[in-house]
């Protein structure tokens, strides 16, 4: 079981991260990944994620442990950016490798729903030169309820 | 320096910075009472959570010299 | 809407394909991908997929059209190998890019279930030097029933 | 050459090759009847599907000179 959880304050290359992850799980038949990136368009000029070091990475690691416990995986990868990002830049990459496709899909989906709604990140967006903090979205709470 | 306060998310804007040192106060409630009125009101909202030295706490707690107190608004995801 | 459907008789590089796909959908917030690769271990020395040219690619294109119609996507990528593959080699890559995470997950999941069970590919495996044809798996039929 | 037959999956092993040319026969049923007995029986199994010139057909159909007839066992996925 290969497991990597990373909180990155610098830009990362999701394609290269996935290549390395896939190379490390040759026994897995399938790998499901989710890549979240800063959307271009819609007027957002930049996005900033702040984290609180004593909580953020430990909680990501605890989430990864729950995912590994709930599904039978060959590997799990979680990389989350913190800091200021430009449109098009990657924010988060989750990948789950499993013998069975369904496990990989469910694990990646669960990990993303929980990262989005429960992780210790605070987000602000720069629109028309002004930074504003983003409140939690009701959709994220609904997504979470699917797993109860 | 006696206590270190950390403000996350929109509380940072209200506090004017992401952190500050304040004189020692014996409890979380005493720290909050000593903040400027608008910030004090904001950190008392029900959805704000608190951490002392990186550990979440519930309700009022006693503090010791050098403790770090973090004020955590609802997270807004990645 | 970027849409690519490819039947490849040569090995392909899934990380590079994903990088190009992601670069082409900067307006999408999320990209879900599924990578299927030949499993190492279990005694399979090689895997061969045969296709029937007049049916296989047209049916993949028809499936992609159904996926694009059913979900609101910014992009869809489907690459499927044909020919002989070694353990560790990629077989199939599906990626769906969407504004909303749920759409991307569902579209990739649906596309994989239908590729696995309905596509015009015939598979054989080489075990202990002997090739044997693989029959359809009941699991694939069950997976398909989820979408009815 | 009058008709081109294509055998997919395990039918290829039974036929001994992935394709062959056969003399013209006026219908799919006539083509199947002219195959060696074990192959003929195998392609008549209910799960086998047929395509003429790349188009799936149901039941018996008439054929023309030069038609390609494909015998398609159940697919086994990617």
């Amino acid at each position: 079981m290969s497991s990597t959880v990373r909180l990155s304050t610098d830009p990362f290359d999701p394609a290269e991260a996935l290549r390395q992850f896939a190379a490390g799980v040759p026994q897995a038949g399938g790998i499901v990944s989710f890549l979240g990136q800063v959307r271009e368009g819609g007027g957002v000029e930049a996005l900033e994620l702040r984290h609180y070091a004593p909580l953020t990475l430990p909680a990501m690691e605890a989430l990864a442990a729950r995912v590994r416990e709930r599904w039978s995986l060959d590997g799990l990868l979680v990389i989350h950016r913190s800091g200021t990002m430009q449109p098009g830049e990657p924010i988060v990459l989750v990948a789950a490798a499993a013998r069975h496709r369904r496990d990989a899909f469910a694990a990646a989906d669960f990990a993303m729903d929980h990262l989005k709604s429960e992780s210790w990140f605070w987000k602000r967006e720069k629109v028309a030169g002004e930074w504003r903090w983003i409140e939690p979205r009701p959709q994220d709470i609904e997504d979470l309820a699917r797993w109860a | 320096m006696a206590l270190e306060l950390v403000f996350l998310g929109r509380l940072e804007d209200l506090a004017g910075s992401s952190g500050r040192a304040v004189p020692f106060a014996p409890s979380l409630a005493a720290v909050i009472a000593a903040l400027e009125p608008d910030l004090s009101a904001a950190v008392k909202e029900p959805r704000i959570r608190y951490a002392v030295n990186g550990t979440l706490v519930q309700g009022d707690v006693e503090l010791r010299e050098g403790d770090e107190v973090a004020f955590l608004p609802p997270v807004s995801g990645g």
Side-chain angles (χ1 to χ4, degrees), chain A, chain B:
Chain A
M1 169 72 201
S2 133
S3 184
T4 301
V5 178
R6 198 148 66 83
L7 175 60
S8 176
T9 52
D10 292 312
F12 67 97
D13 178 346
E16 186 51 36
L18 266 181
R19 185 196 305 274
Q20 287 178 20
F21 179 69
V25 286
Q27 75 282 24
I31 298 170
V32 171
S33 76
F34 177 85
L35 168 64
Q37 54 188 15
V38 184
R39 279 193 204 101
E40 269 183 17
V44 174
E45 291 150 15
L47 182 150
E48 183 179 6
L49 285 176
R50 297 284 187 91
H51 70 281
Y52 179 52
L55 290 179
T56 309
L57 183 59
M60 287 169 62
E61 285 167 344
L63 170 59
R66 282 174 68 193
V67 172
R68 292 194 308 264
E69 199 168 292
R70 185 157 173 169
W71 286 281
S72 180
L73 301 181
D74 293 310
L76 181 65
L77 173 69
V78 177
I79 305 176
H80 208 298
R81 265 300 304 277
S82 183
T84 304
M85 289 155 269
Q86 306 303 313
E89 266 188 67
I91 304 169
V92 56
L93 176 68
V94 164
R99 184 171 177 84
H100 300 293
R101 194 166 75 247
R102 297 250 58 72
D103 287 342
F105 267 105
D109 198 1
F110 178 97
M112 277 311 306
D113 278 355
H114 288 74
L115 271 176
K116 278 280 179 180
S117 56
E118 292 187 343
S119 287
W120 295 103
F121 288 103
W122 294 268
K123 180 160 65 179
R124 56 177 195 160
E125 291 178 348
K126 192 178 183 183
V127 176
E130 297 277 330
W131 284 102
R132 59 186 177 87
W133 292 100
I134 305 300
E135 291 293 306
R137 300 185 318 142
Q139 179 65 47
D140 291 332
I141 309 300
E142 281 172 41
D143 288 345
L144 209 59
R146 300 187 307 133
W147 304 101
Chain B
M1 175 211 104
L3 294 171
E4 192 67 35
L5 308 189
V6 177
F7 301 99
L8 275 302
R10 59 184 169 76
L11 295 177
E12 174 186 329
D13 291 356
L14 218 50
S17 74
S18 61
R20 64 169 77 161
V22 296
F24 178 74
S27 69
L28 181 53
V31 167
I32 292 173
L35 294 172
E36 49 274 38
D38 57 342
L39 183 57
S40 183
V43 303
K44 279 190 280 196
E45 284 174 19
R47 296 197 305 165
I48 305 294
R49 303 188 68 184
Y50 315 109
V52 175
N53 299 327
T55 300
L56 292 171
V57 297
Q58 303 270 3
D60 196 19
V61 290
E62 288 186 13
L63 298 176
R64 289 184 300 184
E65 282 282 334
D67 279 353
E68 177 180 281
V69 179
F71 298 94
L72 313 163
V75 297
S76 42

